[in-house]
Amino acid sequence: MTDYPNIFKPLTVKRTTFKNRIVMPPMGTNLASMNGEFPEEHIKYYEQRAKGGTGMITIENVCIDFPYGTNGTTQLRIDNDQYIPGFVKATERLHRYGAMVSVQINHAGASAYPGRLGGLQPVSASDVPSKPGGIIPRPLTKDEIYDIVEKYGEAARRVQQAGFDAVEIHAGHSYLLCQFLSPLYNKRTDEFGGSAENRARIVKLVIEKVRATVGPFFPIILRFSADEFIDGGNHLEDILEILEYCQEEADILNVSAAVNNNLYLQIDQMNLEDGWRSYLSKAVRDKFGKPTITSGNIRDPRRAEEILANGEADFLAMGRGLIAEPNWVNKVAAGQEHMLRKCISCNIGCADHRIAKSKPIRCTVNPDIINEDAYKKTQVNCPTNVVVIGGGTAGLEAACTAAEVGCDTFLFEEKDYLGGLSREISKLPDKRRIADLPTYLENRARSLHNLKIFTGTKADTAFIHKYNPDVVINATGSKPLLPPIKGLHEYIDQENGSVHSIFGLISKIDQFTDFADKRIVVIGGGAVGLDVVEFFAERGAKVTIVEMLPVLGKDLDHITKLSMNDTLEKYHVEQRTNTALTEVCADHFKVKADGEEIELPFDHGFVCLGMRPENPGLSELLDYGQEHHVEIVNIGDSKQARKILEGMREGRDVLYTLEKIGARA
């Protein structure tokens, strides 16, 4: 008997029964083909989530009106019957595992992808861009509005013909229907603008057209931003009024939040609690008495069960959570919560890759989102010993992967704990989710009988030789970059001193308790420096950040950058860009900007100039490898200080090293 009865309780809507309450919501992938078709890799991506037990999978937003309605670097299309065969293949595959399958039909409006518009001006309710600095759209004519309504109906027919179990209409997140609903974008004075009823008119027409097309028993889902969390936009009370005019034919209400301006509240930033916006879905559910879907960093099954038990929602949407852990449902059902590979809400491979970098979707904690555990089916073909030096996330992934394909694996970690930098950074309150990754990796490692772990053990070539390695993975991590700046090495991280590195903060974080009126100066405007700023600014300190480059957070992911800009503004953080550190003193920094020397006094100063590889034994290892015909591979931060994502992928790539030495086909 499961500890979570509400999660696994079936629910019937119209004539469709959902086997459990876990939903994979639509989330763009950049996996579609350039012409909008559904390639095999893309279908396999969804298939893994269906195989993992998910109750309903909603295929990411598909274009109903090309090119005006298109969105994303690549996007699925459903504006022509020629796309039906691809969707049929997908629904057939997902249905094998008992998942219900929905699809989100959408028109991007002013959020249309410029690269496919061919010079055409995007369309919207009015001439307001959908994001700051976006292309100015032209207002749709009434005839064009009614033509788009017809296109929604045509798309719904194709959805039904392709074998889907439900259809979702997107009216949130700064897309076209949201551009009519929200006063942020809708400045019209005709029957499609002004009052709540008028702004809701196009959504009402769309839902009615879809209902007329699919008939009375086919579930229609309406997704919307229940609170846009921005001045001048819709708030919960506004949306509750708007829904009175347009929700009648909808069967399930998918309650989301936010718009393009505050994307970090739509694609939730790391420090937001599990299910933080479930109060929105409860308000909608209480008023309209219809099943609702809620989302928002839901990772913990206990919190998921609580939301359902309290009547805050009927379904739980886990987008990034199911990218990270396709088997979330099956593992929870089997009592394997300790083996959940939880999303850490870093928003790098899933959101930043797709939105800011035009890359296909990836995941920091899941090195293979397409094939999942398929690599385990091919075991090594001869006895193979793998030694891993370093027990951070990259080393742990390498060790686990090697053991899972049959290698006798030995992991050595110099510290008395595993997890490396991830374990350290997670001690910052706003970064606590990161701890879920090393915790999962350690649980996974300790479940493998052929993986031996030695902590508090320094491994040099003489030591590892007795383990007769065929492969040695060096994953010794990184340490703070401390250039030869006057005074830096003399003052940093000294006992009772006031100059600290990031580790100086983390190691004594409980001692930083008196924040009011404290002057904090942070040198370095990268990710680590901004983490320090966030910690102190939120607690009432007076914070200054200094960066040599013209901008802060140059290499931050898109979501974190938006969130951090909001934090800097909200807490009035003094920003000094184009400013270089010249000297470190006991109670002040000397910096130089525009040729002028400036002193910045502080109660606590932090030097966060990035990280550098820490691999003091690598050259000796390489010599050992040549002498003894052992494959030596350097991975993770010990190769180059980067994000967790790269190290995790390189850890999984031990599979290719095993192929290289002939131990695995």
Side-chain angles (χ1 to χ4, degrees), residues 68 109-110 112 117-124 126-127 135-140:
Y68 281 111
L117 286 176
L120 295 170
Q121 187 177 13
V123 297
S124 182
S126 304
D127 60 356
I135 299 174
I136 297 175
R138 65 171 177 81
L140 287 161

Side-chain angles (χ1 to χ4, degrees), residues 147-167:
D147 184 56
I148 288 172
V149 170
E150 291 297 319
K151 285 179 169 26
Y152 271 98
E154 293 165 9
R157 172 184 59 79
R158 297 182 186 109
V159 166
Q160 207 168 29
Q161 285 180 218
F164 285 95
D165 305 291
V167 62

Side-chain angles (χ1 to χ4, degrees), residues 379-431:
Q379 297 287 296
V380 289
N381 52 32
C382 58
T384 306
N385 292 343
V386 173
V387 168
V388 179
I389 304 174
T393 51
L396 280 165
E397 179 60 45
C400 289
T401 300
E404 286 162 345
V405 296
C407 299
D408 288 321
T409 307
F410 308 91
L411 185 149
F412 302 101
E413 169 53 53
E414 190 171 357
K415 298 185 180 68
D416 60 2
Y417 61 91
L418 299 172
L421 185 59
S422 294
R423 187 73 74 186
E424 296 290 343
I425 291 294
S426 69
K427 293 175 183 176
L428 293 170
D430 285 331
K431 305 300 175 187

Side-chain angles (χ1 to χ4, degrees), residues 59 62 64 77-81 83-84 87-88 91 95 101-106 151-169 210 213-214 218-219:
I59 305 301
V62 300
I64 66 156
R77 289 172 59 179
I78 201 165
D79 58 309
N80 187 299
D81 285 2
Y83 294 101
I84 292 175
F87 286 111
V88 170
T91 56
H95 281 149
V101 192
S102 177
V103 62
Q104 184 185 84
I105 55 177
N106 187 37
K151 285 179 169 26
Y152 271 98
E154 293 165 9
R157 172 184 59 79
R158 297 182 186 109
V159 166
Q160 207 168 29
Q161 285 180 218
F164 285 95
D165 305 291
V167 62
E168 179 170 285
I169 298 164
V210 169
T213 302
V214 301
F218 194 78

Side-chain angles (χ1 to χ4, degrees), residues 520-522 529-530 532-546 552 564-576:
I520 306 296
V521 180
V522 179
L530 287 165
V532 176
V533 168
E534 183 178 48
F535 177 78
F536 284 100
E538 290 178 347
R539 289 159 178 80
K542 183 179 179 182
V543 182
T544 298
I545 185 166
V546 176
L552 299 174
M564 194 56 66
N565 287 339
D566 183 66
T567 296
L568 295 172
E569 182 179 347
K570 179 179 179 180
Y571 295 105
H572 309 292
V573 174
E574 181 184 6
Q575 303 172 49
R576 290 180 173 268

Side-chain angles (χ1 to χ4, degrees), residues 449-660:
H449 67 88
N450 56 332
L451 170 54
K452 309 300 181 187
I453 298 171
F454 304 85
T455 55
T457 304
K458 184 177 174 71
D460 57 19
T461 53
F463 183 84
I464 66 173
H465 184 65
K466 58 187 175 184
Y467 292 91
N468 192 28
D470 298 289
V471 175
V472 177
I473 306 292
N474 188 71
T476 46
S478 60
K479 67 179 184 179
L481 176 63
L482 300 175
I485 295 172
K486 185 177 179 181
L488 175 55
H489 291 265
E490 289 81 0
Y491 285 107
I492 197 163
D493 290 335
Q494 296 300 308
E495 189 69 29
N496 299 318
S498 298
V499 182
H500 317 277
S501 69
I502 182 63
F503 293 117
L505 169 61
I506 290 170
S507 64
K508 302 176 182 177
I509 197 162
D510 293 337
Q511 298 178 26
F512 291 93
T513 55
D514 182 15
F515 300 99
D517 299 321
K518 283 289 190 290
R519 296 170 301 175
I520 306 296
V521 180
V522 179
I523 305 294
V528 174
L530 287 165
D531 285 345
V532 176
V533 168
E534 183 178 48
F535 177 78
F536 284 100
E538 290 178 347
R539 289 159 178 80
K542 183 179 179 182
V543 182
T544 298
I545 185 166
V546 176
E547 169 56 48
M548 188 165 61
L549 296 175
V551 295
L552 299 174
K554 175 179 173 289
D555 296 322
L556 283 183
D557 68 274
H558 185 64
I559 305 299
T560 302
K561 189 175 293 184
L562 289 173
S563 171
M564 194 56 66
N565 287 339
D566 183 66
T567 296
L568 295 172
E569 182 179 347
K570 179 179 179 180
Y571 295 105
H572 309 292
V573 174
E574 181 184 6
Q575 303 172 49
R576 290 180 173 268
T577 53
N578 293 308
T579 302
L581 175 66
T582 59
E583 184 177 349
V584 176
C585 302
D587 60 357
H588 66 278
F589 293 127
K590 292 183 179 179
V591 300
K592 190 173 185 178
D594 297 326
E596 180 185 1
E597 294 277 357
I598 304 167
E599 289 189 2
L600 299 176
F602 53 71
D603 294 293
H604 292 286
F606 293 86
V607 180
C608 305
L609 297 175
M611 307 292 287
R612 68 171 183 82
E614 171 71 353
N615 49 28
L618 182 58
S619 60
E620 184 182 350
L621 271 178
L622 292 172
D623 291 341
Y624 172 85
Q626 280 196 328
E627 181 181 353
H628 296 278
H629 306 289
V630 174
E631 193 72 21
I632 310 295
V633 184
N634 190 33
I635 68 170
D637 279 4
S638 59
K639 178 181 179 181
Q640 181 183 344
R642 293 155 297 162
K643 295 179 173 64
I644 300 170
L645 184 150
E646 286 89 0
M648 288 286 289
R649 187 189 68 243
E650 289 168 358
R652 179 62 60 85
D653 284 349
V654 67
L655 297 172
Y656 301 106
T657 301
L658 294 171
E659 291 177 13
K660 180 181 177 181

